[in-house]
């Protein structure tokens, strides 16, 4: 039966986004009584490999390497008709280990939320080792390089306006399902009243001298890796806001950024600096506007939460496309100019009509229930498979 079905979600530790997406799906599956496990794909080879890739990713986002690799990837997958890329070759190396993990775990369905496992699953299918249904969940608002060389059953993409781009890049149209990016529904589809959220945060974060009801709160998110030039933004913001306004800045796991900002802004009573936090949903409830780099997941969480967004400088590569998509659809405002970022953020707080236009666009272009839609897609396809199996069995 469908309820004895086991689902494996394959993620990867490059940025927290892929893991957040995996967790959102798992939470929705748990709620519906479906057995589901998340696996860090590279950790199947070794924890050390997984850690090294994560570290390499963090350091690459700080320089131009990521942008260069991304551009080469795009160029290669657009212009050269090759049998397989280096990315495929590398991920093929652990395909047997992955096969054993799936076989021993008796999984019925695999969901990939990262390119690496999608490449490994493609290798298994090409060698006719695995025929179980396999889904890919896109966590950015563009078609990533090398995706077209993977061969899975369905590709869940964030928005119907992206369909033609994916088709152009070589992903078959009939495999595309434009239903959004999974976010944790319980956290992001509900809202605590602003005053209550501020009170809760003041209590948990020890901000006892913050009067929680007056003034605007500006939330700055730098991503789990702590990316971006926050120094200039903070100077601008703290210089220009009113004395009753507050700034909360989340530095993620970037200790150096946290220490630097702590040193620079040590005496500022209007600022609260945080490291990695699981209070993002509550912080959004308490704030009037959010500054964030254009990561696919955080941006989707923010439009589902329905809060005005200012997109700061992207990690070069995918995030350029996210910023463009959001800005062009009126879901956020994007500029790399910190003066302008602050001016627009302040206008979003003051100008109700301007603010409401953005919030309206967000409501029109987001799907708060993507996780459940993904599960429904899997269950419906599984039912069809089961029915086919039964009929062939009877026919025999």
């Amino acid at each position: 039966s469908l309820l004895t079905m086991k689902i494996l979600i394959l993620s990867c530790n490059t940025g927290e986004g892929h893991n957040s997406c995996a967790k959102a799906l798992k939470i929705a599956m748990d709620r519906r009584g479906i057995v589901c496990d998340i696996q860090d794909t590279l950790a199947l080879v070794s924890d050390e490999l997984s850690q090294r890739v994560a570290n390499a990713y963090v350091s690459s986002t700080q320089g131009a390497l990521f942008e260069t690799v991304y551009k080469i990837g795009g160029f290669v997958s657009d212009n050269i008709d090759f049998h397989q890329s280096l990315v495929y070759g590398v991920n093929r190396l652990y395909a047997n280990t992955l096969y054993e993990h799936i076989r021993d775990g008796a999984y019925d369905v695999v969901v990939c939320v990262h390119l690496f496992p999608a490449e490994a699953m493609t290798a298994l299918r090409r060698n006719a080792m695995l025929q179980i249904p396999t889904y890919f969940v896109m966590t950015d608002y563009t078609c990533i390089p090398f995706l077209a060389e993977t061969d899975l059953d369905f590709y869940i993409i964030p928005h119907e306006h992206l369909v033609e781009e994916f088709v152009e890049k070589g992903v078959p149209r009939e495999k595309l399902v434009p239903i959004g990016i999974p976010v944790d529904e319980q956290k992001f589809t509900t809202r605590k009243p602003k005053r209550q959220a501020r009170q809760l945060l003041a209590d948990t974060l020890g901000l006892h001298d913050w009067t929680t009801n007056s003034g605007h709160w500006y939330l700055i998110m730098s991503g789990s890796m702590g990316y971006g030039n926050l120094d200039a933004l903070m100077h601008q913001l703290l210089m220009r806001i009113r004395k009753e306004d507050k700034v909360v800045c989340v530095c993620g796991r970037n200790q150096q950024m946290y220490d630097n900002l702590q040193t620079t802004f040590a005496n500022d009573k209007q600022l609260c600096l945080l490291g990695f936090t699981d209070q993002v949903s509550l912080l959004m409830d308490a704030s009037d506007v959010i500054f964030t780099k254009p990561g696919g997941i955080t941006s989707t969480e923010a439009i589902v939460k329905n809060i005005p967004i200012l997109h700061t400088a992207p990690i070069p590569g995918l995030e350029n496309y996210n910023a463009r998509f959001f800005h062009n659809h009126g879901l956020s405002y994007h500029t790399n100019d910190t003066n302008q970022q602050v001016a627009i953020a302040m206008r979003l707080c003051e100008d109700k009509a301007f603010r409401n236009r953005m919030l309206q666009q967000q409501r029109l272009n987001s799907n708060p229930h993507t996780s459940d839609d993904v599960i429904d897609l899997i269950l419906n396809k599984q039912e069809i498979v089961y029915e086919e199996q039964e009929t062939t069995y009877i026919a025999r």
Side-chain angles (χ1 to χ4, degrees):
S1 88
L2 291 179
L3 287 174
T4 57
M5 182 168 68
K6 270 185 88 176
I7 297 179
L8 177 63
I9 302 175
L10 294 172
S11 187
C12 218
N13 280 335
T14 52
E16 200 54 37
H18 303 283
N19 292 335
S20 299
C21 174
K23 284 174 199 154
L25 282 168
K26 179 167 167 53
I27 288 166
M29 288 182 192
D30 289 348
R31 201 169 55 231
R32 290 171 65 166
I34 297 167
V35 182
C36 163
D37 298 315
I38 297 174
Q39 174 63 45
D40 168 10
T41 313
L42 297 180
L44 286 172
V45 185
S46 74
D47 288 332
E48 190 205 1
L49 175 67
S50 175
Q51 199 47 55
R52 276 169 64 178
V53 170
N55 294 345
Y57 176 80
V58 179
S59 54
S60 75
T61 61
Q62 309 300 342
L65 173 69
F66 191 71
E67 185 172 20
T68 313
V69 169
Y70 187 82
K71 280 186 176 149
I72 293 169
F75 174 77
V76 169
S77 54
D78 282 352
N79 295 295
I80 300 167
D81 185 24
F82 50 82
H83 180 52
Q84 60 190 47
S85 72
L86 183 64
V87 184
Y88 175 73
V90 169
N91 286 286
R92 204 184 60 190
L93 297 175
Y94 59 82
N96 283 345
T97 313
L98 179 58
Y99 170 73
E100 283 159 17
H101 184 78
I102 294 167
R103 184 197 59 199
D104 297 348
Y107 293 105
D108 301 290
V109 173
V110 172
V111 179
C112 302
V113 296
H114 193 284
L115 176 68
F116 292 173
E119 295 270 21
M121 289 301 297
T122 300
L124 290 179
R125 299 180 68 148
R126 283 195 183 145
N127 298 333
M129 289 170 78
L130 256 192
Q131 295 307 324
I132 61 172
T134 310
Y135 297 77
F136 182 83
V137 179
M138 190 69 235
T139 54
D140 288 286
Y141 289 74
T142 184
C143 182
I144 50 176
F146 307 114
L147 188 66
E149 69 177 10
T150 64
D151 180 17
L152 308 185
D153 292 304
F154 290 98
Y155 294 81
I156 290 139
I157 65 172
H159 197 284
E160 59 191 356
H161 290 174
L162 294 165
V163 168
E164 300 311 321
E165 182 198 330
F166 278 77
V167 171
E168 209 170 281
K169 295 273 195 230
V171 183
R173 186 183 298 273
E174 63 277 8
K175 292 186 171 189
L176 294 171
V177 188
I179 52 175
I181 293 178
V183 299
D184 183 346
E185 267 182 57
Q186 285 158 314
K187 281 187 184 166
F188 295 98
T189 58
T190 56
R191 280 199 87 127
K192 282 192 167 52
K194 190 175 290 179
R195 201 173 195 158
Q196 188 192 345
R198 289 180 178 184
Q199 195 55 61
L200 279 166
L201 284 166
D203 296 344
T204 43
L205 302 174
L207 304 168
H208 302 304
D209 50 347
W210 281 29
T211 49
T212 50
N213 49 2
S214 66
H216 299 308
W217 280 30
Y218 296 88
L219 174 61
I220 302 174
M221 306 266 305
S222 64
S224 66
M225 303 297 185
Y227 175 82
N229 172 20
L230 295 190
D231 225 322
L233 174 60
M234 306 269 268
H235 272 295
Q236 284 290 331
L237 201 51
L238 291 165
M239 200 168 63
R240 291 166 69 175
I241 56 174
R242 304 165 309 172
K243 64 178 185 301
E244 65 268 29
D245 297 337
K246 305 283 184 258
V247 177
V248 181
C249 177
V250 181
C251 302
R253 294 198 168 93
N254 190 331
Q255 190 61 43
Q256 191 184 351
M257 175 189 276
Y258 181 87
D259 294 342
N260 291 349
L261 293 173
Q262 190 73 41
T263 310
T264 314
F265 301 102
N267 304 318
D268 206 300
K269 294 281 175 277
Q270 288 178 279
L271 171 68
C272 169
L273 276 181
L274 298 175
F276 188 78
T277 176
D278 56 1
Q279 299 290 318
V280 174
S281 171
L282 196 57
L283 284 165
M284 285 183 184
D285 291 340
S287 304
D288 296 280
V289 66
I290 176 173
F291 293 84
T292 174
K293 70 181 191 60
I297 300 289
T298 305
S299 303
T300 306
E301 288 172 347
I303 59 171
V304 168
K305 182 67 91 169
N306 209 205
I307 177 176
I309 305 170
L310 240 133
H311 271 141
T312 52
I315 294 180
L318 290 177
E319 293 193 350
N320 291 327
Y321 295 94
N322 292 341
R324 191 182 308 163
F325 185 92
F326 271 64
H327 185 86
N328 290 348
H329 282 77
L331 313 175
S332 75
Y333 192 94
H334 169 58
T335 170
N336 289 349
D337 179 322
T338 42
N339 282 331
Q340 213 179 339
Q341 286 168 5
V342 173
I344 296 286
M346 293 175 78
R347 187 183 160 199
L348 281 165
C349 289
E350 304 294 342
D351 180 343
K352 219 167 182 164
F354 182 53
R355 177 190 183 88
N356 286 336
R357 281 198 295 279
M358 184 182 286
L359 295 179
Q360 173 67 10
Q361 284 305 107
Q362 290 181 356
R363 289 191 292 272
L364 289 172
N365 288 283
S366 62
N367 176 9
H369 311 296
T370 300
S371 299
D372 272 311
D373 290 349
V374 171
I375 296 170
D376 290 340
L377 175 72
I378 293 171
L379 293 181
N380 291 338
K381 295 299 167 195
Q382 283 298 96
E383 266 171 359
I384 293 163
V385 170
Y386 279 122
E387 279 167 20
E388 278 171 6
Q389 284 172 352
E390 279 162 23
T391 50
T392 50
Y393 182 69
I394 295 161
R396 260 190 222 134

